């Protein structure tokens, strides 16, 4: 060995069978090389790091009924699982369109689907908010045979601390689906009024402790998810009755944290606003007899979808709509707990 030889570097060791840090889960993040590890994680009912398990796939396929030659649209491409299930069904002669606003995950998903052999003639991918679906009509030939929207945040976004979507790990307090656009959650808390913060906690997540939380959070300079979570915990300790058992406090505080992060995420991404615009434009983008399926994950989304479909059925825009939401099966909820809050609604465009 000469003096110029580079020092030997030890191979990074996998951090046990259950690594906790996102960066330590490198086997899960490289599923092509470590398929066995990924399978072990999924067998435990968990979602591997950097992946997303699509929900209600069989139910969605039964509703949308893709057939060869049809043109379909996935308004929320995400990890691409739903689209991947539909792509073979529209061949030969058909085409899928995919939209997503996330500039970080969209290129990865596109590359993954291209590597599986789906070129531009089979799959057209667009980085855009789904409220802009009408912009695809010229390329799609004037309308779609079926449309899908999965309104949930993808696991890749939630699990990566660098995206700042979860209180479970330290990361920047951002919560934007598109980090290059708009106002982060950190910036929002600095400038929002107390009354506005109270209202968005109530409207976006039905938060029963909206008043004390708004008083504590408004105007605070919080840079990280952990700083926000710590302040929420401290606020709740003052809000609870002294007689409340410790275990009950922990359970309730976790729910408050989930609702607070949800409310802020909905606000910084204007999720209800873009959903309302999409629902308004949706009928004009469906061909006569076209089918639509929408998967929602909380009451604010589901109410909007339900109202849109019911109104459309009354005025003749839709010939039929779901009477009740479809839920993930017991087996799916057991194997993928993130599916437990999902509600699936469908509608069929009238033939005239």
């Amino acid at each position: 060995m000469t003096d110029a030889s580079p020092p030997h570097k030890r191979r990074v060791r996998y951090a046990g069978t259950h690594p906790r840090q996102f960066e330590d889960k490198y086997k899960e993040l490289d599923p092509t090389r470590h398929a066995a590890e990924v399978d072990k994680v999924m067998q435990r009912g968990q979602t591997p790091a950097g992946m997303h398990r699509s929900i209600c796939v069989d139910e969605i396929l039964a509703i949308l009924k893709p057939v060869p030659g049809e043109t379909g649209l996935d308004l929320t491409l995400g990890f691409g699982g739903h689209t991947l299930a539909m792509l073979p069904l529209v061949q030969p002669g058909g085409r899928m369109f995919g939209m997503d606003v996330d500039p970080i995950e969209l290129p990865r998903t596109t590359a993954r689907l291209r590597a599986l052999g789906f070129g531009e003639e089979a799959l057209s991918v667009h980085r855009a908010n789904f409220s802009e679906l009408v912009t695809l009509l010229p390329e799609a030939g004037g309308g779609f045979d079926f449309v899908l929207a999965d309104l949930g945040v993808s696991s890749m976004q939630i699990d990566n601390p660098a995206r700042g979507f979860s209180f479970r790990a330290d990361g920047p307090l951002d919560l934007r689906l598109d980090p290059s656009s708009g106002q982060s959650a950190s910036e929002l808390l600095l400038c929002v009024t107390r009354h506005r913060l109270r209202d968005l906690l109530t409207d976006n997540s039905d938060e029963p402790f909206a008043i004390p939380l708004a008083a504590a959070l408004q105007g605070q300079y919080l840079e990280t998810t952990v700083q926000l979570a710590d302040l929420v915990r401290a606020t709740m300790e003052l809000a609870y009755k002294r007689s409340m058992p410790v275990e009950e406090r922990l359970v309730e505080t976790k729910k408050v944290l989930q609702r607070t992060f949800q409310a802020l995420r909905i606000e910084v991404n204007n999720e209800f606003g873009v959903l309302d615009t999409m629902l308004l434009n949706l009928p004009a983008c469906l061909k006569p007899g076209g089918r639509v399926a929408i998967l929602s994950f909380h009451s604010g989304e589901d109410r909007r979808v339900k109202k849109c479909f019911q109104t459309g059925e009354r005025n003749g825009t839709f010939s039929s709509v779901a009477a009740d939401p479809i839920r993930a099966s017991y087996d799916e909820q057991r194997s993928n707990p993130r599916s437990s809050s999902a509600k699936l609604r469908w509608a069929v465009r009238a033939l005239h």
Side-chain angles (χ1 to χ4, degrees), residues 13 35 37 49 85 156-157 193-195 232 295 323 328:
R13 306 192 101 181
E37 292 295 336
M156 312 93 65
Q157 297 162 327
T193 67
R194 184 180 300 186
H195 292 302
V232 170
L295 200 58

Side-chain angles (χ1 to χ4, degrees), residues 229-240:
D230 287 345
L231 184 51
V232 170
R233 291 188 182 100
T235 302
M236 295 315 299
E237 281 302 309
L238 296 174
Y240 295 141

Side-chain angles (χ1 to χ4, degrees), residues 122-259:
L123 173 65
S124 179
V125 178
H126 299 260
R127 183 190 159 196
N129 194 292
F130 62 39
S131 62
E132 304 171 62
L133 75 165
V134 293
T135 62
L136 302 183
L137 289 179
E139 187 182 347
F144 296 95
D145 295 292
F146 60 89
V147 172
L148 167 67
D150 177 348
L151 305 181
V153 178
S154 297
S155 298
M156 312 93 65
Q157 297 162 327
I158 295 172
D159 294 341
N160 186 352
R163 301 300 302 271
F165 277 91
S166 174
F167 58 88
R168 292 185 176 89
D170 198 9
L173 184 56
D174 196 307
L175 295 173
R176 287 173 294 177
L177 297 169
D178 180 357
S180 66
S181 176
Q183 184 182 54
S184 71
S186 178
E187 294 167 333
L188 170 68
L189 290 176
L190 269 177
C191 65
V192 69
T193 67
R194 184 180 300 186
H195 292 302
R196 175 62 187 144
L197 184 54
R198 178 202 63 195
D199 289 346
L200 70 88
L201 285 165
T202 301
D203 296 341
N204 294 357
S205 60
D206 302 313
E207 176 53 61
F209 296 98
I211 292 176
L213 284 170
L217 301 180
Q218 185 269 331
Q220 296 293 326
Y221 179 57
L222 305 173
E223 292 185 286
T224 70
T225 54
V226 166
Q227 287 175 340
L228 173 58
D230 287 345
L231 184 51
V232 170
R233 291 188 182 100
T235 302
M236 295 315 299
E237 281 302 309
L238 296 174
Y240 295 141
K241 294 180 180 179
R242 290 186 178 182
S243 59
M244 190 176 189
V246 174
E247 287 300 317
E248 189 177 339
R249 287 170 181 252
L250 292 174
V251 171
E252 185 57 39
T253 298
K254 181 180 178 181
K255 293 178 182 178
V256 174
L257 284 166
Q258 291 171 333
R259 292 192 295 260

Side-chain angles (χ1 to χ4, degrees), residues 14-312:
Y14 197 53
T17 56
H18 296 72
R20 295 188 177 184
Q21 300 299 319
F22 184 81
E23 297 78 8
D24 292 338
K25 301 179 181 182
Y26 65 86
K27 288 188 177 181
E28 297 173 40
L29 292 166
D30 191 1
T32 56
R33 294 182 59 191
H34 303 284
E37 292 295 336
V38 170
D39 185 60
K40 287 179 184 177
V41 173
M42 295 178 71
Q43 290 297 323
R44 295 198 299 266
Q46 298 173 337
T47 300
M51 291 182 64
H52 178 78
R53 300 175 67 180
S54 298
I55 294 170
C56 293
V57 175
D58 291 340
E59 292 85 349
I60 287 169
L61 293 179
I63 291 167
L64 297 182
K65 301 181 177 66
V67 297
E70 288 193 324
T71 302
L73 169 61
D74 188 340
L75 287 166
T76 47
L77 185 60
F79 195 72
H82 288 119
T83 289
L84 183 59
M86 293 185 282
L87 272 165
L89 301 179
V90 299
Q91 302 304 319
R95 194 181 191 197
M96 284 295 301
F97 285 72
M99 298 182 76
D100 206 294
V101 74
D102 190 328
I104 298 171
E105 294 299 334
L106 184 61
R108 297 172 182 170
T109 297
T110 303
R112 196 162 48 245
L113 294 174
R114 295 283 186 243
L116 292 173
F118 298 105
E120 184 66 34
E121 72 287 347
L123 173 65
S124 179
V125 178
H126 299 260
R127 183 190 159 196
N129 194 292
F130 62 39
S131 62
E132 304 171 62
L133 75 165
V134 293
T135 62
L136 302 183
L137 289 179
E139 187 182 347
F144 296 95
D145 295 292
F146 60 89
V147 172
L148 167 67
D150 177 348
L151 305 181
V153 178
S154 297
S155 298
M156 312 93 65
Q157 297 162 327
I158 295 172
D159 294 341
N160 186 352
R163 301 300 302 271
F165 277 91
S166 174
F167 58 88
R168 292 185 176 89
D170 198 9
L173 184 56
D174 196 307
L175 295 173
R176 287 173 294 177
L177 297 169
D178 180 357
S180 66
S181 176
Q183 184 182 54
S184 71
S186 178
E187 294 167 333
L188 170 68
L189 290 176
L190 269 177
C191 65
V192 69
T193 67
R194 184 180 300 186
H195 292 302
R196 175 62 187 144
L197 184 54
R198 178 202 63 195
D199 289 346
L200 70 88
L201 285 165
T202 301
D203 296 341
N204 294 357
S205 60
D206 302 313
E207 176 53 61
F209 296 98
I211 292 176
L213 284 170
L217 301 180
Q218 185 269 331
Q220 296 293 326
Y221 179 57
L222 305 173
E223 292 185 286
T224 70
T225 54
V226 166
Q227 287 175 340
L228 173 58
D230 287 345
L231 184 51
V232 170
R233 291 188 182 100
T235 302
M236 295 315 299
E237 281 302 309
L238 296 174
Y240 295 141
K241 294 180 180 179
R242 290 186 178 182
S243 59
M244 190 176 189
V246 174
E247 287 300 317
E248 189 177 339
R249 287 170 181 252
L250 292 174
V251 171
E252 185 57 39
T253 298
K254 181 180 178 181
K255 293 178 182 178
V256 174
L257 284 166
Q258 291 171 333
R259 292 192 295 260
T260 300
F261 273 70
Q262 173 183 295
L264 295 176
R265 191 203 75 224
I266 290 173
E267 182 69 14
V268 298
N269 293 293
N270 188 27
E271 292 181 26
F272 289 158
V274 297
L275 176 58
D276 289 340
T277 301
M278 183 272 281
L279 292 171
L280 179 66
N281 294 327
L282 177 63
C285 298
L286 285 168
K287 294 179 181 178
R291 295 84 65 195
V292 56
I294 300 182
L295 200 58
S296 63
F297 290 83
H298 59 81
S299 58
E301 293 172 339
D302 183 60
R303 282 194 299 267
R304 284 167 163 79
V305 176
K306 178 181 178 181
K307 182 178 178 180
C308 170
F309 287 177
Q310 289 180 338
T311 301

